């Protein structure tokens, strides 16, 4: 098994990149009971499968922006990035941005000791509301989003916190414009200024709650660790069985008996006529 993720909706897919990542079978320096290693190749092939399924697309409206966003999706705010919006559509008209992964490219993923990086080339169309309440295409552009981030773990709460270390676009180019001439280099500069401000907003939101690790019945996870290495992510955790006591009532005899995990009913107490379990 080479770790390739395929979509069940796609057949005869040729993966445009190879798996050159070597991950360890075990980390002998870590003493947790469960160790998981995730290759960057697995993540990259999963993103490719999502792209081929048409899932890497999004419509961004004001409602989807985080609270406190310095950029609003209306003509007044976006006119600083796309000059000519207010002139064509008027002041304070609503806008939305429709983006999808460029089909001529594919997502690129990189794991290093410093964190994770994802590069995604997208095509985006900006629409604005006209004074007659109709959506009108303002501009379409192509750009590559470069995102880098890292993770930290709170071992007390067993929560994982994600933070962006960089959000930026590169290789920006105008495809079509209905609001007058637009400079690709100026657009890239303005987008990067907006992303720098949004990065701080995203990080503040991500720092509030974090992500809790899944819990399983009868088991307790402690001492969670996560770390990026060259080509892979390592996550380890100690797993302890939790002893639960379940009581059942044999409705034939009226006897109440104790059942410890793992669940093994004694022949003496077995009956097809049992009450629902009662956990204490």
């Amino acid at each position: 098994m080479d770790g390739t993720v395929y979509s069940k909706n796609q057949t005869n897919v040729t993966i445009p990149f190879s798996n050159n990542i070597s991950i360890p079978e075990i980390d002998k320096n870590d003493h947790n009971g469960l160790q998981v290693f995730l290759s960057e190749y697995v993540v990259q092939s999963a993103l490719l499968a999502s792209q081929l399924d048409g899932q890497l697309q999004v419509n961004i409206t004001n409602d989807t922006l985080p609270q406190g966003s310095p950029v609003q999706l209306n003509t007044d705010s976006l006119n600083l990035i796309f000059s000519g919006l207010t002139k064509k559509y008027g002041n304070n008209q609503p806008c939305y941005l429709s983006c999808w992964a460029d089909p001529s490219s594919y997502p690129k993923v990189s794991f290093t000791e410093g964190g994770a990086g994802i590069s995604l080339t997208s095509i985006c169309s900006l629409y604005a509301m006209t004074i007659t309440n109709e959506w009108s295409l303002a501009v379409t552009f192509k750009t590559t989003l470069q995102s880098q981030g890292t993770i930290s773990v709170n071992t007390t709460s067993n929560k994982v916190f994600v933070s962006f270390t960089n959000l930026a676009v590169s290789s920006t180019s105008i495809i079509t414009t209905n609001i007058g001439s637009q400079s690709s280099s100026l657009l890239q500069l303005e987008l990067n200024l907006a992303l720098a401000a949004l990065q701080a907003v995203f990080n503040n939101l991500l720092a509030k709650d974090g992500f809790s690790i899944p819990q399983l019945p009868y088991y307790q996870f402690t001492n969670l660790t996560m770390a990026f290495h060259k080509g892979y992510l390592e996550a380890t955790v100690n797993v302890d069985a939790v002893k639960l006591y379940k009581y059942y009532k044999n409705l034939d005899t009226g006897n109440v008996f104790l059942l410890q995990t793992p669940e093994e009913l004694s022949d003496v107490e077995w009956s097809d006529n049992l009450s629902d379990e009662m956990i204490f």
Side-chain angles (χ1 to χ4, degrees):
M1 186 172 66
D2 66 356
T4 304
V5 178
Y6 294 98
S7 167
K8 65 180 182 180
N9 299 321
Q10 302 290 331
T11 58
N12 300 322
V13 174
T14 300
I15 304 298
F17 45 86
S18 58
N19 184 5
N20 300 316
I21 304 302
S22 176
I23 60 177
E25 294 183 1
I26 189 173
D27 184 352
K28 296 182 179 180
N29 296 320
D30 185 274
H31 301 292
N32 278 337
L34 177 64
Q35 298 178 351
V36 178
F37 303 93
L38 178 64
S39 166
E40 68 181 34
Y41 175 83
V42 175
V43 179
Q44 186 165 332
S45 65
L47 287 175
L48 176 63
S50 298
Q51 177 180 343
L52 295 176
D53 263 359
Q55 296 177 356
L56 295 188
Q57 55 184 346
V58 62
N59 286 340
I60 305 172
T61 66
N62 251 344
D63 292 336
T64 58
L65 291 177
Q67 187 175 5
S69 170
V71 179
Q72 298 297 309
L73 286 177
N74 59 59
T75 51
D76 285 10
S77 180
L78 293 179
N79 196 69
L80 299 174
I81 301 175
F82 303 97
S83 61
L85 269 179
T86 54
K87 181 178 180 181
K88 183 174 180 66
Y89 298 107
N91 294 105
N92 205 33
Q93 289 291 98
C95 301
Y96 78 89
L97 197 61
S98 178
C99 297
W100 60 96
D102 179 12
S104 66
S105 181
Y106 59 87
K108 299 175 178 62
V109 178
S110 175
F111 289 173
T112 67
E113 285 78 3
I118 298 178
S119 175
L120 178 64
T121 300
S122 301
I123 299 173
C124 295
S125 291
L126 177 67
Y127 292 85
M129 182 74 75
T130 66
I131 57 174
T132 57
N133 293 327
E134 296 176 327
W135 289 112
S136 173
L137 175 62
V139 61
T140 299
F141 60 95
K142 179 178 178 179
T143 192
T144 300
L145 176 65
Q146 310 280 356
S147 62
Q148 285 83 37
T150 188
I151 55 176
S152 59
V153 176
N154 184 319
T155 55
T156 302
S157 62
N158 268 346
K159 284 189 174 183
V160 179
F161 294 88
V162 179
S163 63
F164 288 104
T165 55
N166 183 56
L167 282 177
V169 296
S170 61
S171 306
T172 306
S173 60
I174 303 294
I175 298 177
T176 60
T177 173
N178 295 316
I179 54 175
S181 178
Q182 302 290 311
S183 167
S184 296
S185 58
L186 183 59
L187 172 59
Q188 182 171 314
L189 174 63
E190 296 290 350
L191 287 175
N192 280 329
L193 289 174
L195 285 173
L198 282 171
Q199 179 180 326
V201 175
F202 286 140
N203 283 341
N204 285 336
L205 290 174
L206 292 170
K208 284 185 177 180
D209 300 318
F211 301 92
S212 298
I213 64 172
Q215 298 295 320
L216 296 176
Y218 315 136
Y219 295 96
Q220 182 179 21
F221 298 132
T222 58
N223 196 35
L224 173 67
T225 68
M226 299 183 76
F228 283 105
H229 302 276
K230 183 174 176 55
Y232 66 94
L233 170 68
E234 177 181 356
T236 75
V237 68
N238 199 48
V239 183
D240 296 309
V242 178
K243 183 175 288 188
L244 297 179
Y245 296 93
K246 295 185 177 182
Y247 291 82
Y248 290 81
K249 184 176 183 179
N250 186 323
L251 299 181
D252 292 329
T253 65
N255 293 331
V256 176
F257 60 95
L258 172 66
L259 181 65
Q260 291 188 8
T261 301
E263 299 176 2
E264 295 177 352
L265 288 171
S266 67
D267 293 337
V268 176
E269 296 291 354
W270 173 252
S271 169
D272 290 330
N273 192 15
L274 295 176
S275 69
D276 292 335
E277 66 185 24
M278 299 172 286
I279 301 178
F280 297 93

